[in-house]
Amino acid sequence: MAQGPWWPSQQPRHVQAVRFFSDDAAMHEVSLARALVQQVRAIAAQHPGCHVTEVRVSVGPLSGVEPALLASAAQRLFAEHGHPQARLVVQWVELLARCRCCGQQFEVPDLVLRCPGCGAGQVQVMRGDALRLETVQLAEAEQAGAAP
Amino acid sequence: MTSRVIVVERDVQYQPQQAAAEVRRRWAAEGTLVVNLLSSPGAGKTALLEATARRLMGQATLAVLTGDPATDRDARRLAPLVPVVQLCTTGACHLDLAMVERGSTALGLQPDYLFIENVGNLVCPASFDLGEHLRVLLLSTTEGDDKPAKYSKAFRTSHALVVSKLDLLPYVPFSIEAAVADARNIQPELDVLLLSARSGQGMDAWCHYLQRKRQALLPQMAAAPLAWPMEAGESAAS
Ligand SMILES: Nc1nc2c(ncn2[C@@H]2O[C@H](COP(=O)(O)OP(=O)(O)OP(=O)(O)O)[C@@H](O)[C@H]2O)c(=O)[nH]1
Ligand SMILES: [Mg+2]
Ligand SMILES: [Zn+2]
């Protein structure tokens, strides 16, 4: 059996630390809001002359997202990135799952992820476990000032 | 005013998840099993890594990336036993793939086992795929057996539940059956291990579990790499 450390001796003797600051490390709703805003901006960039008016997302019980925190972070980022008119709509969805054994689809109101049909535990979550970008609504920029 | 609606219907984390899947393949090709340790603060992640490093010393090569909001104290604890890089998040509540990539570059090693000790938190780390093959959730007996029902996403996305600080079980009201039943409601395929890093009880089973998981990863041993809960067809990946 080898004695002592296995790693190469050129490994620094001091403890290495990598430090991250707020550009790289953020609270997790902020990280998710950044990913969302980045995707919306990419879509807007494909439609020159348009601005974003509404962004619809859905979240559910296993999304790991607090809707109000997400909304405030996203709203601020939309304004910072040139889409101050963008309105975020967060829709709540119930958990939907599908049995990998018998194929049955079922809602999961109680977070018991077991097939009610055949009792199998191999179920796939279809909806309600992510922050999903549903739709992005765009309007022609030159008509922005006109009454709707 | 003319307006149009673009239908996207896709997980916001689709791209990071693809990147994580790629990293997972890369580690597997190098023969490294990557383990992401999740728990609330103080459940015993660092203690488990210390005990694991002592057991596997001379049998396998290990390295650790340890995440904390502040200080390099965990890295200092581990440094005499394993190569370690401290990932300091400056207050942020979780690790993400980019941080882990920076850390593993700083580490510059291809060990048999790479452990990522996540920031102590049962909420936020659950949403971030770090390219790991195995997500292990530590629940210590002193935290109460009601945690699986409360922190459902962390349990849903984990492969294994480690009930830690088993030596303290006689002193605290904690029902292993109740905790495991709730955890398996959320993740029926969860593996369960009981151990104490302090007394050593259950440590052999834990080390064997790691060895089995690594062997399942090695291409010559199995055709398919380990499935990751969220990747095995959950809506996040579709
Ligand atoms: N009795 C007992 N105490 C333990 C055990 N494992 C850890 N501890 C103690 O629990 C405390 C926290 O342990 P750590 O290993 O620092 O926990 P951690 O999860 O790494 O904590 P953070 O990184 O701060 O989130 C320490 O005082 C340990 O000595 C165990 O198996 N039994
Ligand atoms: Mg620790
Ligand atoms: Zn079924």
Side-chain angles (χ1 to χ4, degrees), chain A residues 16 18 20 39 62 100 113 123-126 129 131 133-134 136 138 140, chain B residues 2-4 6 8-10 12 83 86 88 90 153 156 185 232-233 235:
Chain A
Q16 290 190 80
V18 185
F20 301 94
Q39 277 169 46
L62 288 178
R100 288 211 193 97
L113 282 150
V123 302
Q124 178 183 348
V125 176
M126 309 296 290
D129 66 342
L131 167 62
L133 174 56
E134 300 290 348
V136 178
L138 301 155
E140 301 281 355
Chain B
T2 51
S3 75
R4 70 180 96 181
I6 313 291
V8 185
E9 294 182 346
R10 199 163 79 169
V12 158
Q86 179 76 49
C88 179
T90 326
K153 179 151 194 165
R156 175 65 193 172
N185 275 337
S235 70

PDB file of all heavy atoms in Angstrom, chain A residues 16 18 20 39 62 100 113 123-126 129 131 133-134 136 138 140, chain B residues 2-4 6 8-10 12 83 86 88 90 153 156 185 232-233 235:
ATOM      1  N   GLN A  16      -5.098  25.899  -1.940  1.00  0.00           N
ATOM      2  CA  GLN A  16      -5.545  26.720  -3.063  1.00  0.00           C
ATOM      3  C   GLN A  16      -6.989  27.151  -2.848  1.00  0.00           C
ATOM      4  O   GLN A  16      -7.819  26.333  -2.469  1.00  0.00           O
ATOM      5  CB  GLN A  16      -5.524  25.916  -4.355  1.00  0.00           C
ATOM      6  CG  GLN A  16      -4.172  25.565  -4.880  1.00  0.00           C
ATOM      7  CD  GLN A  16      -4.326  24.984  -6.281  1.00  0.00           C
ATOM      8  OE1 GLN A  16      -4.472  25.709  -7.250  1.00  0.00           O
ATOM      9  NE2 GLN A  16      -4.300  23.672  -6.365  1.00  0.00           N
ATOM     10  N   VAL A  18     -10.167  29.396  -4.866  1.00  0.00           N
ATOM     11  CA  VAL A  18     -10.667  30.190  -5.985  1.00  0.00           C
ATOM     12  C   VAL A  18     -11.843  30.984  -5.438  1.00  0.00           C
ATOM     13  O   VAL A  18     -12.758  30.421  -4.840  1.00  0.00           O
ATOM     14  CB  VAL A  18     -11.130  29.302  -7.159  1.00  0.00           C
ATOM     15  CG1 VAL A  18     -11.529  30.169  -8.347  1.00  0.00           C
ATOM     16  CG2 VAL A  18     -10.046  28.319  -7.554  1.00  0.00           C
ATOM     17  N   PHE A  20     -15.012  33.669  -5.922  1.00  0.00           N
ATOM     18  CA  PHE A  20     -15.961  34.171  -6.924  1.00  0.00           C
ATOM     19  C   PHE A  20     -16.690  35.369  -6.356  1.00  0.00           C
ATOM     20  O   PHE A  20     -17.067  35.384  -5.187  1.00  0.00           O
ATOM     21  CB  PHE A  20     -16.967  33.071  -7.296  1.00  0.00           C
ATOM     22  CG  PHE A  20     -16.298  31.849  -7.852  1.00  0.00           C
ATOM     23  CD1 PHE A  20     -15.977  30.789  -7.021  1.00  0.00           C
ATOM     24  CD2 PHE A  20     -15.961  31.771  -9.188  1.00  0.00           C
ATOM     25  CE1 PHE A  20     -15.340  29.662  -7.522  1.00  0.00           C
ATOM     26  CE2 PHE A  20     -15.323  30.648  -9.702  1.00  0.00           C
ATOM     27  CZ  PHE A  20     -15.015  29.590  -8.861  1.00  0.00           C
ATOM     28  N   GLN A  39     -31.675  34.495 -22.648  1.00  0.00           N
ATOM     29  CA  GLN A  39     -32.408  33.831 -23.731  1.00  0.00           C
ATOM     30  C   GLN A  39     -33.401  34.755 -24.406  1.00  0.00           C
ATOM     31  O   GLN A  39     -33.563  34.738 -25.629  1.00  0.00           O
ATOM     32  CB  GLN A  39     -33.119  32.582 -23.205  1.00  0.00           C
ATOM     33  CG  GLN A  39     -32.178  31.408 -23.159  1.00  0.00           C
ATOM     34  CD  GLN A  39     -32.752  30.230 -22.417  1.00  0.00           C
ATOM     35  OE1 GLN A  39     -33.905  29.857 -22.620  1.00  0.00           O
ATOM     36  NE2 GLN A  39     -31.952  29.643 -21.561  1.00  0.00           N
ATOM     37  N   LEU A  62     -41.452  21.534  -8.141  1.00  0.00           N
ATOM     38  CA  LEU A  62     -40.053  21.094  -8.090  1.00  0.00           C
ATOM     39  C   LEU A  62     -39.138  21.990  -8.929  1.00  0.00           C
ATOM     40  O   LEU A  62     -38.053  21.589  -9.320  1.00  0.00           O
ATOM     41  CB  LEU A  62     -39.927  19.632  -8.540  1.00  0.00           C
ATOM     42  CG  LEU A  62     -40.451  18.566  -7.573  1.00  0.00           C
ATOM     43  CD1 LEU A  62     -40.312  17.177  -8.174  1.00  0.00           C
ATOM     44  CD2 LEU A  62     -39.723  18.623  -6.236  1.00  0.00           C
ATOM     45  N   ARG A 100     -42.722   5.223 -16.447  1.00  0.00           N
ATOM     46  CA  ARG A 100     -41.859   4.616 -17.462  1.00  0.00           C
ATOM     47  C   ARG A 100     -42.210   3.152 -17.692  1.00  0.00           C
ATOM     48  O   ARG A 100     -41.770   2.556 -18.667  1.00  0.00           O
ATOM     49  CB  ARG A 100     -40.384   4.693 -17.024  1.00  0.00           C
ATOM     50  CG  ARG A 100     -39.811   6.077 -17.096  1.00  0.00           C
ATOM     51  CD  ARG A 100     -38.301   6.009 -17.406  1.00  0.00           C
ATOM     52  NE  ARG A 100     -37.720   7.316 -17.171  1.00  0.00           N
ATOM     53  CZ  ARG A 100     -37.103   7.657 -16.039  1.00  0.00           C
ATOM     54  NH1 ARG A 100     -36.943   6.779 -15.080  1.00  0.00           N
ATOM     55  NH2 ARG A 100     -36.632   8.864 -15.889  1.00  0.00           N
ATOM     56  N   LEU A 113     -44.126  10.535  -6.011  1.00  0.00           N
ATOM     57  CA  LEU A 113     -43.774  10.259  -7.405  1.00  0.00           C
ATOM     58  C   LEU A 113     -43.744   8.765  -7.673  1.00  0.00           C
ATOM     59  O   LEU A 113     -42.704   8.188  -7.986  1.00  0.00           O
ATOM     60  CB  LEU A 113     -42.465  10.957  -7.756  1.00  0.00           C
ATOM     61  CG  LEU A 113     -42.718  12.451  -8.002  1.00  0.00           C
ATOM     62  CD1 LEU A 113     -41.528  13.290  -7.636  1.00  0.00           C
ATOM     63  CD2 LEU A 113     -43.092  12.687  -9.457  1.00  0.00           C
ATOM     64  N   VAL A 123     -40.704   6.948 -12.548  1.00  0.00           N
ATOM     65  CA  VAL A 123     -41.570   7.925 -13.205  1.00  0.00           C
ATOM     66  C   VAL A 123     -40.751   9.124 -13.642  1.00  0.00           C
ATOM     67  O   VAL A 123     -39.770   9.506 -13.007  1.00  0.00           O
ATOM     68  CB  VAL A 123     -42.754   8.367 -12.312  1.00  0.00           C
ATOM     69  CG1 VAL A 123     -43.592   7.182 -11.891  1.00  0.00           C
ATOM     70  CG2 VAL A 123     -42.274   9.141 -11.116  1.00  0.00           C
ATOM     71  N   GLN A 124     -41.186   9.669 -14.726  1.00  0.00           N
ATOM     72  CA  GLN A 124     -40.494  10.784 -15.344  1.00  0.00           C
ATOM     73  C   GLN A 124     -41.361  12.026 -15.113  1.00  0.00           C
ATOM     74  O   GLN A 124     -42.568  11.980 -15.358  1.00  0.00           O
ATOM     75  CB  GLN A 124     -40.386  10.456 -16.830  1.00  0.00           C
ATOM     76  CG  GLN A 124     -39.755  11.461 -17.691  1.00  0.00           C
ATOM     77  CD  GLN A 124     -39.804  10.988 -19.149  1.00  0.00           C
ATOM     78  OE1 GLN A 124     -40.106   9.833 -19.451  1.00  0.00           O
ATOM     79  NE2 GLN A 124     -39.543  11.887 -20.058  1.00  0.00           N
ATOM     80  N   VAL A 125     -40.753  13.098 -14.639  1.00  0.00           N
ATOM     81  CA  VAL A 125     -41.520  14.319 -14.451  1.00  0.00           C
ATOM     82  C   VAL A 125     -41.625  15.037 -15.794  1.00  0.00           C
ATOM     83  O   VAL A 125     -40.628  15.265 -16.469  1.00  0.00           O
ATOM     84  CB  VAL A 125     -40.875  15.231 -13.389  1.00  0.00           C
ATOM     85  CG1 VAL A 125     -41.619  16.546 -13.276  1.00  0.00           C
ATOM     86  CG2 VAL A 125     -40.852  14.530 -12.043  1.00  0.00           C
ATOM     87  N   MET A 126     -42.841  15.353 -16.199  1.00  0.00           N
ATOM     88  CA  MET A 126     -43.064  15.971 -17.504  1.00  0.00           C
ATOM     89  C   MET A 126     -43.135  17.494 -17.397  1.00  0.00           C
ATOM     90  O   MET A 126     -42.863  18.222 -18.336  1.00  0.00           O
ATOM     91  CB  MET A 126     -44.384  15.489 -18.121  1.00  0.00           C
ATOM     92  CG  MET A 126     -44.553  13.975 -18.151  1.00  0.00           C
ATOM     93  SD  MET A 126     -43.335  13.186 -19.196  1.00  0.00           S
ATOM     94  CE  MET A 126     -43.889  13.731 -20.801  1.00  0.00           C
ATOM     95  N   ASP A 129     -40.972  20.847 -12.856  1.00  0.00           N
ATOM     96  CA  ASP A 129     -39.692  20.693 -12.166  1.00  0.00           C
ATOM     97  C   ASP A 129     -38.626  21.615 -12.748  1.00  0.00           C
ATOM     98  O   ASP A 129     -37.445  21.402 -12.537  1.00  0.00           O
ATOM     99  CB  ASP A 129     -39.204  19.237 -12.240  1.00  0.00           C
ATOM    100  CG  ASP A 129     -38.871  18.809 -13.654  1.00  0.00           C
ATOM    101  OD1 ASP A 129     -39.324  19.487 -14.599  1.00  0.00           O
ATOM    102  OD2 ASP A 129     -38.152  17.812 -13.820  1.00  0.00           O
ATOM    103  N   LEU A 131     -37.739  25.847 -14.499  1.00  0.00           N
ATOM    104  CA  LEU A 131     -38.188  27.192 -14.865  1.00  0.00           C
ATOM    105  C   LEU A 131     -38.235  27.173 -16.380  1.00  0.00           C
ATOM    106  O   LEU A 131     -37.202  27.059 -17.041  1.00  0.00           O
ATOM    107  CB  LEU A 131     -37.198  28.245 -14.365  1.00  0.00           C
ATOM    108  CG  LEU A 131     -37.381  29.659 -14.944  1.00  0.00           C
ATOM    109  CD1 LEU A 131     -38.735  30.244 -14.567  1.00  0.00           C
ATOM    110  CD2 LEU A 131     -36.268  30.579 -14.462  1.00  0.00           C
ATOM    111  N   LEU A 133     -39.247  28.733 -20.032  1.00  0.00           N
ATOM    112  CA  LEU A 133     -39.622  29.903 -20.819  1.00  0.00           C
ATOM    113  C   LEU A 133     -40.681  29.452 -21.816  1.00  0.00           C
ATOM    114  O   LEU A 133     -40.431  28.585 -22.653  1.00  0.00           O
ATOM    115  CB  LEU A 133     -38.384  30.456 -21.541  1.00  0.00           C
ATOM    116  CG  LEU A 133     -38.624  31.601 -22.533  1.00  0.00           C
ATOM    117  CD1 LEU A 133     -39.334  32.773 -21.889  1.00  0.00           C
ATOM    118  CD2 LEU A 133     -37.305  32.057 -23.149  1.00  0.00           C
ATOM    119  N   GLU A 134     -41.884  29.996 -21.693  1.00  0.00           N
ATOM    120  CA  GLU A 134     -42.997  29.557 -22.549  1.00  0.00           C
ATOM    121  C   GLU A 134     -43.062  30.411 -23.818  1.00  0.00           C
ATOM    122  O   GLU A 134     -42.901  29.904 -24.914  1.00  0.00           O
ATOM    123  CB  GLU A 134     -44.325  29.633 -21.782  1.00  0.00           C
ATOM    124  CG  GLU A 134     -44.363  28.760 -20.517  1.00  0.00           C
ATOM    125  CD  GLU A 134     -44.392  27.261 -20.810  1.00  0.00           C
ATOM    126  OE1 GLU A 134     -44.604  26.883 -21.975  1.00  0.00           O
ATOM    127  OE2 GLU A 134     -44.161  26.468 -19.868  1.00  0.00           O
ATOM    128  N   VAL A 136     -42.448  34.549 -25.725  1.00  0.00           N
ATOM    129  CA  VAL A 136     -41.927  35.917 -25.691  1.00  0.00           C
ATOM    130  C   VAL A 136     -42.775  36.732 -26.663  1.00  0.00           C
ATOM    131  O   VAL A 136     -42.904  36.356 -27.835  1.00  0.00           O
ATOM    132  CB  VAL A 136     -40.448  35.959 -26.118  1.00  0.00           C
ATOM    133  CG1 VAL A 136     -39.929  37.395 -26.126  1.00  0.00           C
ATOM    134  CG2 VAL A 136     -39.601  35.090 -25.201  1.00  0.00           C
ATOM    135  N   LEU A 138     -43.355  40.173 -28.750  1.00  0.00           N
ATOM    136  CA  LEU A 138     -42.587  41.300 -29.283  1.00  0.00           C
ATOM    137  C   LEU A 138     -43.522  42.271 -29.984  1.00  0.00           C
ATOM    138  O   LEU A 138     -44.540  41.859 -30.543  1.00  0.00           O
ATOM    139  CB  LEU A 138     -41.568  40.789 -30.304  1.00  0.00           C
ATOM    140  CG  LEU A 138     -40.540  39.768 -29.820  1.00  0.00           C
ATOM    141  CD1 LEU A 138     -40.046  38.936 -30.987  1.00  0.00           C
ATOM    142  CD2 LEU A 138     -39.392  40.451 -29.119  1.00  0.00           C
ATOM    143  N   GLU A 140     -43.511  45.895 -32.678  1.00  0.00           N
ATOM    144  CA  GLU A 140     -42.719  46.753 -33.573  1.00  0.00           C
ATOM    145  C   GLU A 140     -42.341  48.028 -32.839  1.00  0.00           C
ATOM    146  O   GLU A 140     -43.197  48.706 -32.289  1.00  0.00           O
ATOM    147  CB  GLU A 140     -43.539  47.142 -34.819  1.00  0.00           C
ATOM    148  CG  GLU A 140     -44.027  45.961 -35.643  1.00  0.00           C
ATOM    149  CD  GLU A 140     -42.964  45.368 -36.545  1.00  0.00           C
ATOM    150  OE1 GLU A 140     -41.852  45.928 -36.621  1.00  0.00           O
ATOM    151  OE2 GLU A 140     -43.251  44.325 -37.164  1.00  0.00           O
TER     152      GLU A 140
ATOM    153  N   THR B   2     -48.442  46.273 -34.185  1.00  0.00           N
ATOM    154  CA  THR B   2     -48.309  44.857 -34.507  1.00  0.00           C
ATOM    155  C   THR B   2     -47.432  44.178 -33.457  1.00  0.00           C
ATOM    156  O   THR B   2     -46.409  44.722 -33.048  1.00  0.00           O
ATOM    157  CB  THR B   2     -47.656  44.662 -35.890  1.00  0.00           C
ATOM    158  OG1 THR B   2     -46.469  45.441 -35.935  1.00  0.00           O
ATOM    159  CG2 THR B   2     -48.585  45.053 -37.002  1.00  0.00           C
ATOM    160  N   SER B   3     -47.885  43.018 -33.051  1.00  0.00           N
ATOM    161  CA  SER B   3     -47.055  42.266 -32.114  1.00  0.00           C
ATOM    162  C   SER B   3     -47.089  40.794 -32.514  1.00  0.00           C
ATOM    163  O   SER B   3     -47.997  40.362 -33.205  1.00  0.00           O
ATOM    164  CB  SER B   3     -47.564  42.447 -30.685  1.00  0.00           C
ATOM    165  OG  SER B   3     -48.734  41.701 -30.483  1.00  0.00           O
ATOM    166  N   ARG B   4     -46.065  40.112 -32.119  1.00  0.00           N
ATOM    167  CA  ARG B   4     -46.046  38.677 -32.404  1.00  0.00           C
ATOM    168  C   ARG B   4     -45.571  37.921 -31.172  1.00  0.00           C
ATOM    169  O   ARG B   4     -44.872  38.478 -30.328  1.00  0.00           O
ATOM    170  CB  ARG B   4     -45.171  38.382 -33.609  1.00  0.00           C
ATOM    171  CG  ARG B   4     -43.710  38.589 -33.339  1.00  0.00           C
ATOM    172  CD  ARG B   4     -42.881  38.288 -34.556  1.00  0.00           C
ATOM    173  NE  ARG B   4     -42.590  39.510 -35.284  1.00  0.00           N
ATOM    174  CZ  ARG B   4     -41.890  39.537 -36.413  1.00  0.00           C
ATOM    175  NH1 ARG B   4     -41.462  38.438 -36.956  1.00  0.00           N
ATOM    176  NH2 ARG B   4     -41.609  40.678 -36.999  1.00  0.00           N
ATOM    177  N   ILE B   6     -43.511  34.638 -29.828  1.00  0.00           N
ATOM    178  CA  ILE B   6     -42.575  33.549 -30.141  1.00  0.00           C
ATOM    179  C   ILE B   6     -42.775  32.452 -29.094  1.00  0.00           C
ATOM    180  O   ILE B   6     -42.688  32.718 -27.891  1.00  0.00           O
ATOM    181  CB  ILE B   6     -41.105  34.040 -30.068  1.00  0.00           C
ATOM    182  CG1 ILE B   6     -40.921  35.368 -30.808  1.00  0.00           C
ATOM    183  CG2 ILE B   6     -40.147  32.964 -30.558  1.00  0.00           C
ATOM    184  CD1 ILE B   6     -41.059  35.298 -32.300  1.00  0.00           C
ATOM    185  N   VAL B   8     -41.474  29.354 -27.171  1.00  0.00           N
ATOM    186  CA  VAL B   8     -40.176  28.754 -26.864  1.00  0.00           C
ATOM    187  C   VAL B   8     -40.368  27.389 -26.190  1.00  0.00           C
ATOM    188  O   VAL B   8     -39.826  26.384 -26.625  1.00  0.00           O
ATOM    189  CB  VAL B   8     -39.331  29.682 -25.964  1.00  0.00           C
ATOM    190  CG1 VAL B   8     -37.934  29.104 -25.756  1.00  0.00           C
ATOM    191  CG2 VAL B   8     -39.253  31.083 -26.552  1.00  0.00           C
ATOM    192  N   GLU B   9     -41.097  27.376 -25.085  1.00  0.00           N
ATOM    193  CA  GLU B   9     -41.419  26.145 -24.335  1.00  0.00           C
ATOM    194  C   GLU B   9     -40.183  25.312 -24.028  1.00  0.00           C
ATOM    195  O   GLU B   9     -40.117  24.135 -24.370  1.00  0.00           O
ATOM    196  CB  GLU B   9     -42.480  25.319 -25.088  1.00  0.00           C
ATOM    197  CG  GLU B   9     -43.812  26.027 -25.145  1.00  0.00           C
ATOM    198  CD  GLU B   9     -44.918  25.241 -25.842  1.00  0.00           C
ATOM    199  OE1 GLU B   9     -44.600  24.255 -26.512  1.00  0.00           O
ATOM    200  OE2 GLU B   9     -46.084  25.650 -25.714  1.00  0.00           O
ATOM    201  N   ARG B  10     -39.205  25.945 -23.435  1.00  0.00           N
ATOM    202  CA  ARG B  10     -37.982  25.214 -23.104  1.00  0.00           C
ATOM    203  C   ARG B  10     -37.442  25.656 -21.743  1.00  0.00           C
ATOM    204  O   ARG B  10     -37.545  26.811 -21.370  1.00  0.00           O
ATOM    205  CB  ARG B  10     -36.927  25.445 -24.189  1.00  0.00           C
ATOM    206  CG  ARG B  10     -35.841  24.402 -24.160  1.00  0.00           C
ATOM    207  CD  ARG B  10     -35.045  24.376 -25.430  1.00  0.00           C
ATOM    208  NE  ARG B  10     -34.075  25.470 -25.446  1.00  0.00           N
ATOM    209  CZ  ARG B  10     -33.108  25.558 -26.347  1.00  0.00           C
ATOM    210  NH1 ARG B  10     -33.007  24.664 -27.313  1.00  0.00           N
ATOM    211  NH2 ARG B  10     -32.266  26.555 -26.307  1.00  0.00           N
ATOM    212  N   VAL B  12     -35.209  27.010 -19.045  1.00  0.00           N
ATOM    213  CA  VAL B  12     -34.241  28.104 -19.074  1.00  0.00           C
ATOM    214  C   VAL B  12     -32.811  27.584 -18.885  1.00  0.00           C
ATOM    215  O   VAL B  12     -31.855  28.165 -19.367  1.00  0.00           O
ATOM    216  CB  VAL B  12     -34.638  29.137 -17.985  1.00  0.00           C
ATOM    217  CG1 VAL B  12     -33.481  29.997 -17.575  1.00  0.00           C
ATOM    218  CG2 VAL B  12     -35.799  29.968 -18.475  1.00  0.00           C
ATOM    219  N   PRO B  83      -5.720  16.171  -2.140  1.00  0.00           N
ATOM    220  CA  PRO B  83      -5.606  17.442  -2.852  1.00  0.00           C
ATOM    221  C   PRO B  83      -6.974  18.120  -2.863  1.00  0.00           C
ATOM    222  O   PRO B  83      -7.986  17.462  -3.128  1.00  0.00           O
ATOM    223  CB  PRO B  83      -5.176  17.052  -4.265  1.00  0.00           C
ATOM    224  CG  PRO B  83      -5.276  15.577  -4.354  1.00  0.00           C
ATOM    225  CD  PRO B  83      -5.494  15.008  -3.011  1.00  0.00           C
ATOM    226  N   GLN B  86     -10.418  25.080  -2.484  1.00  0.00           N
ATOM    227  CA  GLN B  86     -11.566  25.745  -1.872  1.00  0.00           C
ATOM    228  C   GLN B  86     -12.230  26.633  -2.914  1.00  0.00           C
ATOM    229  O   GLN B  86     -11.581  27.439  -3.577  1.00  0.00           O
ATOM    230  CB  GLN B  86     -11.097  26.610  -0.698  1.00  0.00           C
ATOM    231  CG  GLN B  86     -12.197  27.371   0.003  1.00  0.00           C
ATOM    232  CD  GLN B  86     -13.031  26.476   0.918  1.00  0.00           C
ATOM    233  OE1 GLN B  86     -12.496  25.718   1.720  1.00  0.00           O
ATOM    234  NE2 GLN B  86     -14.350  26.553   0.783  1.00  0.00           N
ATOM    235  N   CYS B  88     -14.677  29.565  -3.017  1.00  0.00           N
ATOM    236  CA  CYS B  88     -15.294  30.529  -2.104  1.00  0.00           C
ATOM    237  C   CYS B  88     -16.314  31.353  -2.891  1.00  0.00           C
ATOM    238  O   CYS B  88     -15.958  32.077  -3.817  1.00  0.00           O
ATOM    239  CB  CYS B  88     -14.215  31.418  -1.499  1.00  0.00           C
ATOM    240  SG  CYS B  88     -14.914  32.640  -0.402  1.00  0.00           S
ATOM    241  N   THR B  90     -18.248  33.800  -1.929  1.00  0.00           N
ATOM    242  CA  THR B  90     -18.501  35.150  -1.413  1.00  0.00           C
ATOM    243  C   THR B  90     -19.990  35.366  -1.115  1.00  0.00           C
ATOM    244  O   THR B  90     -20.599  36.324  -1.580  1.00  0.00           O
ATOM    245  CB  THR B  90     -17.992  36.224  -2.404  1.00  0.00           C
ATOM    246  OG1 THR B  90     -16.818  35.739  -3.041  1.00  0.00           O
ATOM    247  CG2 THR B  90     -17.646  37.517  -1.702  1.00  0.00           C
ATOM    248  N   LYS B 153     -37.011  19.096  -3.733  1.00  0.00           N
ATOM    249  CA  LYS B 153     -36.211  19.104  -4.964  1.00  0.00           C
ATOM    250  C   LYS B 153     -34.837  18.466  -4.737  1.00  0.00           C
ATOM    251  O   LYS B 153     -34.344  17.717  -5.574  1.00  0.00           O
ATOM    252  CB  LYS B 153     -36.043  20.524  -5.509  1.00  0.00           C
ATOM    253  CG  LYS B 153     -35.199  20.535  -6.774  1.00  0.00           C
ATOM    254  CD  LYS B 153     -35.490  21.636  -7.727  1.00  0.00           C
ATOM    255  CE  LYS B 153     -34.838  21.326  -9.063  1.00  0.00           C
ATOM    256  NZ  LYS B 153     -35.339  22.144 -10.149  1.00  0.00           N
ATOM    257  N   ARG B 156     -35.421  14.789  -4.703  1.00  0.00           N
ATOM    258  CA  ARG B 156     -35.814  14.289  -6.023  1.00  0.00           C
ATOM    259  C   ARG B 156     -34.617  14.151  -6.967  1.00  0.00           C
ATOM    260  O   ARG B 156     -34.546  13.233  -7.772  1.00  0.00           O
ATOM    261  CB  ARG B 156     -36.859  15.228  -6.653  1.00  0.00           C
ATOM    262  CG  ARG B 156     -37.266  14.890  -8.084  1.00  0.00           C
ATOM    263  CD  ARG B 156     -37.979  13.561  -8.176  1.00  0.00           C
ATOM    264  NE  ARG B 156     -38.106  13.074  -9.550  1.00  0.00           N
ATOM    265  CZ  ARG B 156     -38.561  11.867  -9.886  1.00  0.00           C
ATOM    266  NH1 ARG B 156     -38.944  11.028  -8.940  1.00  0.00           N
ATOM    267  NH2 ARG B 156     -38.635  11.507 -11.140  1.00  0.00           N
ATOM    268  N   ASN B 185     -40.870   8.590  -1.355  1.00  0.00           N
ATOM    269  CA  ASN B 185     -42.068   9.076  -2.043  1.00  0.00           C
ATOM    270  C   ASN B 185     -41.669  10.020  -3.168  1.00  0.00           C
ATOM    271  O   ASN B 185     -42.253  10.020  -4.238  1.00  0.00           O
ATOM    272  CB  ASN B 185     -42.988   9.818  -1.061  1.00  0.00           C
ATOM    273  CG  ASN B 185     -43.896   8.861  -0.314  1.00  0.00           C
ATOM    274  OD1 ASN B 185     -44.162   7.763  -0.782  1.00  0.00           O
ATOM    275  ND2 ASN B 185     -44.358   9.280   0.851  1.00  0.00           N
ATOM    276  N   ALA B 232     -32.319  11.620 -17.149  1.00  0.00           N
ATOM    277  CA  ALA B 232     -32.913  10.377 -17.629  1.00  0.00           C
ATOM    278  C   ALA B 232     -34.290  10.617 -18.230  1.00  0.00           C
ATOM    279  O   ALA B 232     -35.139   9.764 -18.218  1.00  0.00           O
ATOM    280  CB  ALA B 232     -32.989   9.378 -16.476  1.00  0.00           C
ATOM    281  N   GLY B 233     -34.515  11.789 -18.737  1.00  0.00           N
ATOM    282  CA  GLY B 233     -35.754  12.051 -19.457  1.00  0.00           C
ATOM    283  C   GLY B 233     -36.708  12.960 -18.719  1.00  0.00           C
ATOM    284  O   GLY B 233     -37.852  13.117 -19.100  1.00  0.00           O
ATOM    285  N   SER B 235     -38.368  16.460 -17.538  1.00  0.00           N
ATOM    286  CA  SER B 235     -38.761  17.524 -18.462  1.00  0.00           C
ATOM    287  C   SER B 235     -37.626  18.512 -18.704  1.00  0.00           C
ATOM    288  O   SER B 235     -37.498  19.103 -19.756  1.00  0.00           O
ATOM    289  CB  SER B 235     -39.976  18.266 -17.924  1.00  0.00           C
ATOM    290  OG  SER B 235     -39.621  19.016 -16.790  1.00  0.00           O
TER     291      SER B 235
END
